[in-house]
Amino acid sequence: MSYFEQIDPLKVPSHVAVIMDGNGRWAKSHGKERIFGHFNGVESVRATLKAAVKSGVKYLTLYAFSTENWNRPKEEVEALMNLLVHTITGEIDELDKNEVRLHAIGDIDSLPESCKTELHAAMERTSGNNKVNLILALSYSSRWEINQAVKRILAEGLKPEEISDHLISSYLCTAAFPDPELLIRTSGEKRISNFLLWQIAYSELYFTETHWPDFNEEEFYKAICDYQTRERRFGKTSEQIHTGMGINEKTT
Ligand code: IPE
Ligand code: IPE
Ligand code: MG
């Protein structure tokens, strides 16, 4: 049975976040320049989006460029920005046709003008779509996001007693989205790399050795199946989960 057939439609995560990693190593293993890996990663984005829609995922967040990635060689940064513009321009008709709504999180103002223009146009054009939300994390890092949230909270003069989990969430770039139930990282690295630190407090983590350009639909379904085997306890006991008991109810 394929992984897709094994998916329980009643237990599909609503939000899946992905750290798309391993493009450079994949390219190197094929005797090519790093950028060749980035180009080939676009097909994996298409496949992942398709798989997300087919399995019923409503929010797909892709970590495409981190705050720290600005420190890469200038040529690689430029190539990545050009790839972003060309990919959006090339894919926008298809995205719109498939009712995908595009969003961006991160320090979007720091992107080159051409990226900002394409991105804003694509977000505007797809703003009425609601089949699936594709959220691109660009010039994003969680510490940057938390910094800007704290600054805004202070600037607006909020009082200590007004601070809550809910309020903090509402000042993050992801305010409009639920927290991801599942976080996938490709390429065998087992770290978070400054991604959604607040939002993944209770996410299930899935690591695969597959480099991003080799990631495909079936790999996505495999991750969903693995997620569906997890028992999400949120601090409670296994018995409470199985009997549906609430907080502080006696177990005897
Ligand atoms: C992920 O692949 C893409 C970005 C971070 C932009 P990498 O470029 O990090 O590839 P590796 O990890 O060096 O192999
Ligand atoms: C994380 O990958 C960022 C993105 C996938 C965009 P990196 O390759 O930059 O992460 P580190 O530096 O190896 O942790
Ligand atoms: Mg990497």
Side-chain angles (χ1 to χ4, degrees):
M1 209 175 16
S2 72
Y3 285 111
F4 180 68
E5 289 166 319
Q6 290 174 48
I7 293 175
D8 176 351
L10 298 175
K11 283 170 62 184
V12 172
S14 68
H15 186 172
V16 177
V18 187
I19 302 176
M20 311 185 287
D21 198 16
N23 293 354
R25 279 164 285 163
W26 181 89
K28 217 173 155 193
S29 74
H30 287 74
K32 307 275 194 193
E33 298 288 314
R34 294 178 54 82
I35 189 67
F36 181 71
H38 300 315
F39 282 128
N40 278 273
V42 176
E43 185 52 40
S44 305
V45 171
R46 280 192 206 101
T48 302
L49 178 61
K50 189 172 171 195
V53 172
K54 275 174 74 178
S55 48
V57 168
K58 292 303 261 182
Y59 300 87
L60 177 68
T61 298
L62 302 178
Y63 202 7
F65 193 84
S66 72
T67 305
E68 289 76 17
N69 289 151
W70 289 113
N71 297 321
R72 289 192 178 192
K74 192 168 152 275
E75 304 72 46
E76 182 168 343
V77 171
E78 266 172 30
L80 280 165
M81 292 301 147
N82 287 335
L83 180 61
L84 175 66
V85 175
H86 286 115
T87 306
I88 297 174
T89 319
E91 300 289 322
I92 186 63
D93 288 343
E94 197 64 16
L95 290 174
D96 197 24
K97 196 177 96 195
N98 290 312
E99 294 168 68
V100 177
R101 180 167 180 185
L102 188 72
H103 307 262
I105 57 170
D107 187 8
I108 303 307
D109 284 343
S110 69
L111 297 173
E113 281 306 321
S114 56
C115 289
K116 279 192 271 190
T117 310
E118 279 308 315
L119 205 53
H120 283 128
M123 290 193 290
E124 174 64 28
R125 177 164 161 195
T126 61
S127 61
N129 296 343
N130 64 7
K131 184 158 206 156
V132 66
N133 292 277
L134 175 62
I135 303 148
L136 298 181
L138 295 165
S139 191
Y140 173 89
S141 75
S142 209
R143 288 187 174 185
W144 167 84
E145 179 185 43
I146 293 169
N147 257 281
Q148 62 83 34
V150 172
K151 283 176 189 150
R152 278 166 50 224
I153 289 170
L154 291 176
E156 289 174 26
L158 277 116
K159 300 195 177 65
E161 55 273 22
E162 291 177 282
I163 306 296
S164 64
D165 284 6
H166 182 75
L167 181 114
I168 293 170
S169 294
S170 76
Y171 278 79
L172 300 179
C173 307
T174 50
F177 319 125
D179 288 341
E181 294 96 327
L182 172 63
L183 172 71
I184 298 172
R185 182 169 189 151
T186 61
S187 88
E189 305 297 355
K190 293 176 186 68
R191 56 177 173 262
I192 302 300
S193 304
N194 218 345
F195 190 43
L196 303 176
L197 300 178
W198 172 272
Q199 298 89 337
I200 61 165
Y202 257 111
S203 303
E204 297 298 327
L205 309 181
Y206 177 87
F207 298 102
T208 169
E209 293 296 319
T210 305
H211 289 314
W212 181 249
D214 284 333
F215 195 81
N216 56 24
E217 271 191 71
E218 201 57 11
E219 292 264 352
F220 185 84
Y221 301 138
K222 189 177 174 188
I224 301 285
C225 288
D226 189 274
Y227 163 83
Q228 294 189 332
T229 66
R230 313 278 180 97
E231 183 178 68
R232 307 192 71 209
R233 292 192 287 276
F234 300 99
K236 294 185 187 175
T237 66
S238 195
E239 290 72 20
Q240 283 176 299
I241 302 300
H242 289 297
T243 57
M245 264 186 215
I247 300 164
N248 293 335
E249 280 180 66
K250 286 202 177 120
T251 48
T252 50

